[in-house]
């Protein structure tokens, strides 16, 4: 079969970029200019650029043009976790730890070894977890404004597994899921694996935290939307908390159009006294997903899904197919920490620690366009027009600072001109050093000093 006639142009431009003939940061002709120069149709020129963008070689920036990307960045940077080289200051992934957590773990393991329950942990557990541990989680969630029966709780291997379990149980390949235009990258990966179609809904035009529900309503009127994925309490990466009125309107739309609500509450503990969860407002159609990885430790892979009773068998079946059950030792440890107040204690300490880090970041980055919650371990930084995201991320890597650009978080295009800074993985002293490097390189690029 003959290849399309525009393919040689794609190959030539790709080769020029890879060989360095077109250097990173080079502004390419507009779509119309490329069409005129090459004697091709405008739609064909757009197809050329679309293929180069899919190859990760160029990026289109709204209002600025099309540029050759910084190809020194590894594929998937910001979403695919890799081992950082020695000396790298990690502002890409969050793994916060409070002093003394190791001792808490040591003490908890000692108590566990002395318990009469140890023998049971060597055997298979019920797929959804043991009933008394599901009851402990239900009690824990009641403190967050969510009243559920133990039978509605399923214990899973972390919140990511909870999202995967929810999607595999309730959705089919090809289903359309509405999301914010910027979302947690782990859900994007899950959607790709499960072949879901994501429909990005822009932010509310009245500056209310959350998606524009008028746009969601129009989408539901024109297409069969199956579900909405939402982080109403402490959104990642923007840090906002959706007001009660917005939640009630979202619930009304979900009932009207028979939508499943997937509520990601992984970071909800950062927000004190938030409005009720979606699962409280619409318990008959909400999958509530959270866990202990963010509030306790990323290595503690214990999560939970709360669901309507009628959906529990489907969810249990997926747990059986994917992990059989969450390891009993991990579940027992997490539930003991819930019962003895350790979880509540650590959550309060981490909120305070996050406040200190946010305050430091806002002081060092003063004057830049920051979006975030004052008690969260991350913030969103919209970059000045003169600073290109990929070159900044690459330059920071050469300065031993790892950050994420906006691309892993963006659903569709255009991709915002921004970076996300994770504040929780390094010491306060190291964080100050890293943030000052971020500020210096932004200033250098904004004033043309670095390139």
């Amino acid at each position: 079969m003959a290849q399309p006639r525009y393919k040689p142009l794609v190959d030539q431009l790709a080769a020029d970029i890879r060989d360095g003939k077109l250097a990173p940061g080079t502004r390419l002709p507009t779509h119309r200019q490329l069409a005129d120069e090459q004697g091709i149709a405008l739609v064909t020129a757009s197809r050329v650029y679309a293929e180069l963008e899919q190859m990760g070689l160029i990026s289109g920036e709204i209002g600025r043009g099309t540029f050759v990307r910084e190809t020194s960045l590894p594929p998937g940077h910001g979403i695919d976790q890799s081992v950082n080289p020695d000396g790298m200051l990690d502002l890409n992934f969050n793994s916060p730890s409070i002093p003394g957590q190791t001792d808490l773990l040591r003490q908890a393991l000692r108590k566990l070894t002395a318990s009469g329950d140890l023998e049971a942990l060597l055997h298979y557990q019920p797929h959804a977890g043991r009933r008394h541990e599901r009851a402990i989680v239900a009690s824990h969630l009641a403190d967050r404004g969510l009243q559920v029966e133990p039978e509605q709780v399923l214990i899973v291997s972390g919140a990511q597994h909870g999202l995967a379990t929810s999607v595999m149980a309730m959705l089919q390949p090809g289903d359309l899921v509405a999301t914010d235009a910027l979302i947690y990258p782990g859900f994007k990966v899950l959607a790709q694996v499960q072949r879901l179609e994501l429909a990005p809904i822009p932010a509310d035009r009245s500056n209310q935290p959350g998606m524009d529900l008028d746009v969601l309503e129009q989408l539901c009127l024109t297409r069969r939307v199956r579900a909405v994925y939402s982080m109403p309490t402490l959104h990642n990466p923007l840090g906002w908390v959706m007001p009660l009125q917005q939640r009630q309107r979202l619930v009304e739309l979900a009932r009207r159009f028979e939508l499943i609500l997937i509520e990601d509450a992984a970071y909800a503990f950062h927000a004190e006294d938030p409005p009720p969860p979606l699962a409280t407002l619409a318990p008959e159609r909400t999958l509530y997903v959270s866990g202990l990885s963010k509030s306790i430790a990323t290595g503690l892979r214990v999560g939970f899904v709360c669901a309507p009773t009628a959906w529990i068998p489907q969810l249990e079946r997926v747990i059986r197919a994917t992990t059989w059950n969450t390891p009993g030792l991990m579940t027992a440890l997490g539930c003991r920490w819930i019962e003895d107040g350790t979880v509540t204690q650590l959550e309060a300490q981490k909120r305070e620690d996050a406040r200190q880090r946010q305050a430091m970041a806002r002081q060092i980055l003063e004057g830049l366009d920051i979006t975030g919650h004052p008690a969260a371990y991350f913030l969103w930084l919209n970059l000045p027009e003169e600073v290109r995201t990929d070159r900044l991320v690459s330059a920071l890597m050469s300065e031993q600072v790892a950050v994420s650009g906006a691309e892993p978080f963006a659903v569709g295009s255009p991709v915002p001109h921004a970076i996300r800074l994770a504040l929780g993985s390094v010491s306060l002293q190291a964080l100050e050093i890293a943030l000052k490097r971020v500020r210096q390189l932004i200033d250098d690029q904004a004033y043309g000093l670095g390139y």
Side-chain angles (χ1 to χ4, degrees):
M1 181 184 294
Q3 69 172 356
R5 288 191 295 173
Y6 71 89
K7 286 288 188 180
L9 178 57
V10 173
D11 294 340
Q12 183 59 55
L13 287 170
D16 288 347
I17 292 170
R18 290 175 175 136
D19 293 343
K21 294 178 182 177
L22 290 173
T26 300
R27 188 193 298 268
L28 298 175
T30 66
H31 292 221
R32 188 170 298 281
Q33 287 170 339
L34 182 68
D36 291 343
E37 290 173 6
Q38 299 294 328
I40 57 180
L42 180 59
V43 67
T44 304
S46 296
R47 193 173 299 153
V48 169
Y49 279 165
E51 291 204 12
L52 291 170
E53 189 160 7
Q54 287 179 349
M55 295 161 68
L57 298 176
I58 67 172
S59 63
E61 299 178 9
I62 188 166
R64 303 183 70 228
T66 303
F67 296 85
V68 175
R69 289 193 63 179
E70 179 56 69
T71 53
S72 64
L73 291 179
H77 181 74
I79 186 170
D80 295 327
Q81 187 166 10
S82 57
V83 177
N84 283 321
D86 291 341
M88 184 70 72
L89 300 175
D90 188 3
L91 304 192
N92 187 5
F93 290 95
N94 264 321
S95 185
S97 179
I98 298 297
Q101 276 193 222
T102 304
D103 286 337
L104 287 174
L105 176 60
R106 188 175 293 111
Q107 294 166 19
L109 289 172
R110 286 197 189 104
K111 291 178 181 177
L112 198 58
T113 59
S115 73
D117 193 38
L118 200 59
E119 173 69 21
L121 304 183
L122 297 176
H123 301 285
Y124 287 126
Q125 309 294 305
H127 303 310
R130 295 184 293 179
R131 192 189 185 284
H132 74 280
E133 290 173 333
R134 295 165 76 181
I136 291 170
V137 173
S139 177
H140 172 63
L141 292 174
D143 295 335
R144 294 186 177 177
L146 178 58
Q147 299 289 338
V148 290
E149 297 298 321
E151 291 75 18
Q152 294 178 263
V153 176
L154 303 100
I155 297 177
V156 291
S157 296
Q160 180 68 31
H161 182 229
L163 292 174
T165 297
S166 300
V167 164
M168 293 172 69
M170 305 306 301
L171 302 177
Q172 298 293 325
D175 279 347
L176 181 62
V177 179
T179 73
D180 294 295
L182 293 168
I183 65 169
Y184 163 55
F187 193 80
K188 280 182 61 179
V189 173
L190 179 58
Q192 291 165 3
V193 170
Q194 293 301 116
R195 295 187 175 90
L196 304 177
E197 180 184 356
L198 299 184
I201 308 297
D204 188 274
R205 287 168 289 184
S206 64
N207 292 323
Q208 287 286 335
M211 64 176 60
D212 189 327
L213 297 178
D214 290 336
V215 175
L216 175 62
E217 181 176 16
Q218 283 302 118
L219 177 67
C220 292
L221 288 169
T222 55
R223 296 197 60 191
R224 176 70 175 99
V225 180
R226 185 79 176 103
V228 176
Y229 169 73
S230 179
M231 298 186 80
T233 304
L234 222 300
H235 180 275
N236 178 20
L238 298 177
W240 44 248
V241 176
M242 186 187 293
L244 177 59
Q245 185 177 359
Q246 289 282 94
R247 297 176 192 229
Q248 290 171 331
R249 171 92 190 282
L250 176 56
V251 165
E252 184 274 322
L253 291 174
R255 286 177 172 149
R256 177 179 165 193
F257 293 105
E258 298 184 350
L259 308 176
I260 295 170
L261 296 175
I262 303 173
E263 180 174 13
D264 186 341
Y267 285 103
F269 76 95
H270 281 286
E272 296 185 273
D273 300 319
L278 298 178
T280 293
L281 300 175
E284 82 285 356
R285 62 183 59 254
T286 304
L287 292 156
Y288 180 96
V289 182
S290 191
L292 301 180
S293 297
K294 305 300 183 186
S295 58
I296 307 301
T298 52
L300 188 63
R301 306 306 301 163
V302 176
F304 28 86
V305 178
C306 301
T309 304
W311 296 354
I312 296 299
Q314 297 161 261
L315 293 158
E316 279 192 290
R317 188 171 181 81
V318 173
I319 294 172
R320 177 183 179 181
T322 53
T323 66
W324 192 272
N325 63 264
T326 299
L329 179 61
M330 303 293 278
T331 304
L333 180 62
C335 287
R336 278 175 174 265
W337 275 353
I338 290 173
E339 280 192 300
D340 68 14
T342 299
V343 170
T344 300
Q345 171 192 336
L346 288 175
E347 287 180 347
Q349 290 177 324
K350 290 190 176 184
R351 282 193 295 271
E352 182 56 35
D353 182 52
R355 287 190 186 97
Q356 292 182 41
R357 292 165 184 268
Q358 283 280 342
M360 174 189 288
R362 289 164 190 269
Q363 181 181 18
I364 294 172
L365 303 174
E366 185 178 6
L368 298 176
D369 185 0
I370 293 173
T371 302
H373 189 278
Y377 273 122
F378 53 84
L379 59 82
W380 188 254
L381 181 58
N382 292 303
L383 297 174
E385 184 177 343
E386 302 83 3
V387 180
R388 292 192 53 249
T389 305
D390 58 336
R391 299 200 74 179
L392 175 65
V393 174
S394 178
L396 284 167
M397 287 185 69
S398 68
E399 292 285 333
Q400 299 298 299
V401 179
V403 304
S404 175
E407 189 171 359
F409 300 88
V411 180
S413 59
V415 176
H417 195 49
I419 59 174
R420 176 193 182 261
L421 300 177
L423 309 177
S425 291
V426 297
S427 68
L428 280 170
Q429 182 180 10
L431 178 63
E432 182 178 11
I433 293 170
L435 289 170
K436 286 181 176 178
R437 290 180 187 173
V438 171
R439 181 60 191 254
Q440 185 62 57
L441 283 172
I442 289 175
D443 289 346
D444 287 350
Q445 290 195 21
Y447 295 107
L449 301 177
Y451 293 89

